[in-house]
């Protein structure tokens, strides 16, 4: 009987499940390193849509890896599964918001399959991000303007790369969660 009461008390005291934060990005980039028929100077457009899973962990150099689920798309054919958003805040060199996709399909040239990773990286001056959390405010995303880049790799042999020229972001702050760490270890600074 005591075990049943303890289990019932644990269930009643447990926190309600956190809602996922959802973000949608629309961006364009000017190609700096072309591949196949995509030449330097071409302007490509893309989208990224993701939802947080509530899990994150500390990574190297003070970075935080936020596990997410979503999709990144370049043009009509190139798609990849977004699995992580990496953030750094207070780094002495630059703050980072990096969106990483894997399992990329839709781009093959000269026998090379461009299957991953596909990344959109936004860098800001140190202190641009107040915390290593994914920001909900579009102004915080916009402030990440030190350098903005896109890259799609073909397993280390070649890559399509460019400088992000436009960026529009919308995140659902009502659904914001603070991802709980999966590890008790702090990241090394």
């Amino acid at each position: 009987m005591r075990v049943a009461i303890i289990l019932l008390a644990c269930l009643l005291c447990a926190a309600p499940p956190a809602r996922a934060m959802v973000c949608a990005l629309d961006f364009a980039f000017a190609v700096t390193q072309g591949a196949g028929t995509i030449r330097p100077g071409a302007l490509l457009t893309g989208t990224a849509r993701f939802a947080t899973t509530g899990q994150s962990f500390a990574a190297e150099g003070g970075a935080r890896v936020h596990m997410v689920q979503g999709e990144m798309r370049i043009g009509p054919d190139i798609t990849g599964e977004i699995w992580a958003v990496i953030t750094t805040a207070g780094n002495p060199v630059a703050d980072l918001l990096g969106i990483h996709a894997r399992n990329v399909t839709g781009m093959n040239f000269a026998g090379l399959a461009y299957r991953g990773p596909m990344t959109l990286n936004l860098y800001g001056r140190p202190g641009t991000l107040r915390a290593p959390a994914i920001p909900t405010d579009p102004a915080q995303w916009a402030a990440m303007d030190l350098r903005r880049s896109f890259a799609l790799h073909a397993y280390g042999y070649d890559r399509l790369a460019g400088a992000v020229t436009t960026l529009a972001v919308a995140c659902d702050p009502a659904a914001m969660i603070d991802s709980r760490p999966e590890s008790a270890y702090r990241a090394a600074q």
Side-chain angles (χ1 to χ4, degrees):
M1 182 67 165
R2 282 193 329 193
V3 172
I5 292 172
I6 291 172
L7 286 174
L8 181 60
C10 288
L11 287 174
L12 293 175
C13 294
R19 290 179 36 199
M21 178 180 77
V22 177
C23 289
L25 292 82
D26 294 304
F27 60 94
F29 64 95
V31 175
T32 55
Q33 182 171 334
T37 59
I38 303 172
R39 301 285 182 223
L43 188 64
L44 299 179
T45 59
T47 61
R49 309 279 186 265
F50 65 84
T52 59
T53 66
Q55 299 175 323
S56 71
F57 58 90
E60 295 178 355
R64 183 137 210 100
V65 178
H66 306 271
M67 305 307 293
V68 299
Q69 295 176 334
E71 180 185 71
M72 187 182 300
R73 178 175 289 277
I74 304 302
D77 300 320
I78 303 168
T79 63
E81 167 199 355
I82 298 175
W83 66 277
V85 174
I86 298 175
T87 59
T88 61
N91 188 304
V93 177
D95 288 353
L96 165 72
L97 275 169
I99 301 169
H100 295 262
R102 62 184 176 193
N103 301 325
V104 177
T105 60
M107 186 170 167
N108 298 292
F109 289 113
L112 288 178
Y114 290 73
R115 299 224 188 299
M118 182 163 59
T119 65
L120 177 66
N121 293 303
L122 310 174
Y123 299 91
R125 287 160 190 77
T128 301
L129 293 178
R130 293 184 279 274
I134 302 170
T136 58
D137 182 2
Q140 282 187 290
W141 287 83
M144 299 295 286
D145 62 358
L146 186 61
R147 181 171 187 266
R148 297 175 173 182
S149 63
F150 170 84
L152 169 55
H153 296 263
Y155 291 115
Y157 298 108
D158 198 4
R159 72 181 182 142
L160 171 67
V164 174
T165 58
T166 61
L167 176 70
V169 180
C171 291
D172 180 2
M176 177 64 181
I177 61 171
D178 185 15
S179 298
R180 65 184 181 281
E182 293 175 353
S183 170
Y185 299 103
R186 292 178 52 103
Q189 295 290 348

